[in-house]
Amino acid sequence: MRRKAAKIRKIFPDAKYGEVIVSRFVNRLMDDGKKSVVEKSVYAAFSELEEKLKKHPVAIFKEALDNVIPRIEVRS
């Protein structure tokens, strides 16, 4: 007999910027449950971006994701 399917948990926005995308990125980078370590490095990188480019770092991050995501669906 199969077990129940795992429930899909809601991803909460991150504490500093209030964005779900940043929270998902932190969760993907996390290794061995060390979320605070990854958050420090991501926030440090975002602060450097903000200083250098004088733009909101989440906007830069979203723009970078748009450049990486494929425009069309690829099927085999």
Side-chain angles (χ1 to χ4, degrees):
M1 182 178 258
R2 295 180 183 237
R3 295 183 180 192
K4 287 191 235 177
K7 292 182 182 178
I8 298 176
R9 293 184 293 177
K10 184 181 177 195
I11 298 175
F12 296 106
D14 70 307
K16 190 169 183 179
Y17 296 106
E19 292 286 333
V20 176
I21 285 187
V22 177
S23 181
R24 287 183 64 196
F25 184 65
V26 167
N27 288 341
R28 298 285 181 182
L29 288 178
M30 188 171 48
D31 189 31
D32 293 332
K34 306 265 181 163
K35 191 171 190 174
S36 61
V37 174
V38 175
E39 280 180 341
K40 284 179 191 175
S41 62
V42 168
Y43 291 156
F46 277 6
S47 66
E48 286 183 23
L49 280 175
E50 193 171 18
E51 289 174 9
K52 288 183 181 179
L53 301 178
K54 307 290 187 219
K55 287 174 64 178
H56 191 65
V58 176
I60 297 168
F61 183 66
K62 287 181 181 179
E63 186 178 327
L65 284 178
D66 287 339
N67 290 337
V68 172
I69 295 172
R71 301 267 185 242
I72 57 173
E73 184 178 355
V74 180
R75 290 188 179 186
S76 60

